[in-house]
Amino acid sequence: MAAHLQDQTKLSNGVGMPWLGLGVWQAKDGEEVVNSVKWALQSGYRSIDTAAVYDNEEGVGQGIKESGVSREEIFLTSKVWNSDQGYESTLQAFETSLKKLDTDYLDLYLIHWAVKDKYKETWRALETLYKEGKVRAIGVCNFQTHHLDDLMADCEIKPMVNQVELHPKLSQKELREYCRENNIQIEAWSPLGQGKLLQLPLLNEMADKYGKTAAQVILRWDLQNGIVTIPKSVHQDRIVQNADVFDFSLTDEEMAAIEGLNEDDRIGPDPDHFDF
């Protein structure tokens, strides 16, 4: 169980991945994302999650450089976008991401969505990058159990991570179980439901009890469930606050009550009905 901001989970290949990181979706390239990354790293974060489609990889790279934290200490994730999927095009997209991030390797490279009839070829490219040592771990985003079954029927290397929309209103219990059984680390994007869950009375009651915020209660729930979580913020105080979740624990009853908020309610697209 994570006890510190820099604690890591061990992926199936033995690589360590921090339990808590900074997501930079919708952080504008330039000063906004540069500052967010710098603030996070300087306050102790060691994991940054970006993607080609976020259009801020250059700023992320700059923020890492300006943070003063060495690249080797940082777990850096990016993702191949849908229009770049396929074998050769994925290899090219990866090189473009490396250039923009100004680094010579990634810690984790993910397929952003399960584009039908393309994700297997895309995965083959990720296997190639992994074998060549250009990326320390490979995985997927937004894959349902049937996508994973399909991929694993043919792949040489199993995905190490599945990053999905996951929060108390969409707790993904079946997918979490599946990933646990297959030694795939589950990771939550939009863990705070883009802020829409922060008014829920149950979460605020717990927050009051522990002298925390509703956001901190949700992130603590993630960690106690063995879920890697990457809350996004561009505000220094919020970035610091989101990481201050290692000095309290939710009870079993509280964990179950938060699980009980689930309504299978998505904020983002449905992976089975996404218009690629």
Side-chain angles (χ1 to χ4, degrees), residues 139-157:
V140 295
C141 298
N142 305 304
F143 273 48
Q144 312 274 56
T145 54
H146 67 91
H147 297 124
L148 290 164
D149 279 337
D150 183 48
L151 185 64
M152 292 196 294
D154 297 324
C155 68
E156 272 185 74
I157 301 163

Side-chain angles (χ1 to χ4, degrees), residues 81-92:
W81 184 241
N82 305 334
S83 54
D84 288 322
Q85 286 201 36
Y87 185 77
E88 291 297 339
S89 46
T90 295
L91 296 179
Q92 285 171 342

